[in-house]
Each structure stands twice: as C-alpha cells, then as structure tokens.
Amino acid sequence: MSINEIAKRCNITKKAVQYYVEQGLLCPLSLENGYREFTEEDASILKKIVLYRQLNLSISEIKIVLENLKIK
C-alpha cells in the first residue's frame, strides 16, 4: 500500500509516517520508482507506534519496545 493509504488507515499524517520511517521504526520496501510500498505488517507496527505515542513514549522508548516484541 502507498504512504497515503497507510497514513489514512492509521489515522495519522503522511509526514508522521515519513518521520517514523526516518527514525527507523518502519522499514518499507523501496520500489525502483522511488516510492515506498508498505505491507500489512507495516500497518500493524504503525498502529502500535501510534498507540505508544499516545501513551507519551519517546521514539527511543518505542524502538526498545518494538525490538523486544521481535525477540519474543
């Protein structure tokens, strides 16, 4: 899905999605044309990020939480 689609699905701005990608919280597939392709897994991760931000976790804290979720 495109960045616009994932932003709409997670009810956040496109700029917020771009920021989370820049911070390394999301790693979408980069297509040959320069666009990013987001998966259902990316959408699931992004929904968690949005929740954690609502709980006032910092980006560095969210990185730790997401890393710990991958380990388990």
Side-chain angles (χ1 to χ4, degrees):
M1 75 187 79
S2 71
I3 192 167
N4 289 327
E5 291 170 324
I6 197 167
K8 185 175 182 180
R9 180 183 286 196
C10 296
N11 201 29
I12 61 173
T13 65
K14 179 180 164 184
K15 188 167 185 154
V17 176
Q18 291 170 331
Y19 176 73
Y20 297 138
V21 171
E22 290 168 6
Q23 295 301 309
L25 296 175
L26 287 174
C27 299
L29 178 66
S30 292
L31 302 177
E32 287 182 23
N33 61 7
Y35 290 114
R36 295 184 180 115
E37 183 68 26
F38 294 88
T39 64
E40 291 297 324
E41 183 179 353
D42 291 325
S44 175
I45 292 168
L46 188 55
K47 287 177 183 179
K48 290 175 186 165
I49 292 168
V50 170
L51 173 64
Y52 298 147
R53 290 298 295 148
Q54 290 173 344
L55 295 171
N56 293 320
L57 270 67
S58 69
I59 296 299
S60 59
E61 291 170 325
I62 293 171
K63 283 181 184 179
I64 293 168
V65 170
L66 292 176
E67 287 172 8
N68 286 334
L69 289 175
K70 287 182 186 177
I71 294 171
K72 295 179 181 181

